[in-house]
Amino acid sequence: KEVEVLATFMSLSGDLVQKNKFSTTARKEVMERLNLSSGGLGNYLKSFRDKNLIFKNEYGVLEIREFLIPEDNNQGYKIKIEK
């Protein structure tokens, strides 16, 4: 389910996530799409930070690591997240 949560954040687009992909509005959208509680989503976000998949930038805003962001529409990834 971790991959699904991360992929949902990555799939968000438009004004909703232009400056902050993990904003309150974006989190609510992900929780609604995946039927998650706020505590459940918080656990996933902590896990992503622990695994260094997301980080806080110099302004304190969470961002996805560059290596996870596709360069164009043809690029894909196969990810296995282990603890």
Side-chain angles (χ1 to χ4, degrees):
K1 183 103 177 185
E2 283 185 330
V3 172
E4 187 178 2
V5 173
L6 187 59
T8 303
F9 275 108
M10 292 175 73
S11 73
L12 298 175
S13 61
D15 293 339
L16 172 71
V17 294
Q18 189 170 4
K19 293 184 179 180
N20 184 354
K21 197 168 278 287
F22 296 94
S23 68
T24 302
T25 307
R27 290 178 191 208
K28 286 180 182 177
E29 177 69 22
V30 170
M31 287 189 299
E32 189 175 297
R33 285 187 191 183
L34 301 178
N35 194 27
L36 293 171
S37 67
S38 59
L41 181 61
N43 289 338
Y44 283 115
L45 293 176
K46 181 180 180 333
S47 175
F48 296 154
R49 288 187 70 191
D50 291 345
K51 294 175 182 177
N52 206 24
L53 299 174
I54 61 175
F55 68 100
K56 282 192 178 181
N57 67 17
E58 62 270 15
Y59 305 107
V61 177
L62 285 174
E63 290 187 19
I64 297 173
R65 290 281 175 197
E66 288 288 325
F67 70 88
L68 292 171
I69 299 172
E71 292 179 15
D72 59 34
N73 291 335
N74 296 324
Q75 186 173 352
Y77 296 98
K78 186 174 183 179
I79 299 173
K80 181 178 180 182
I81 300 175
E82 296 180 351
K83 195 169 191 179

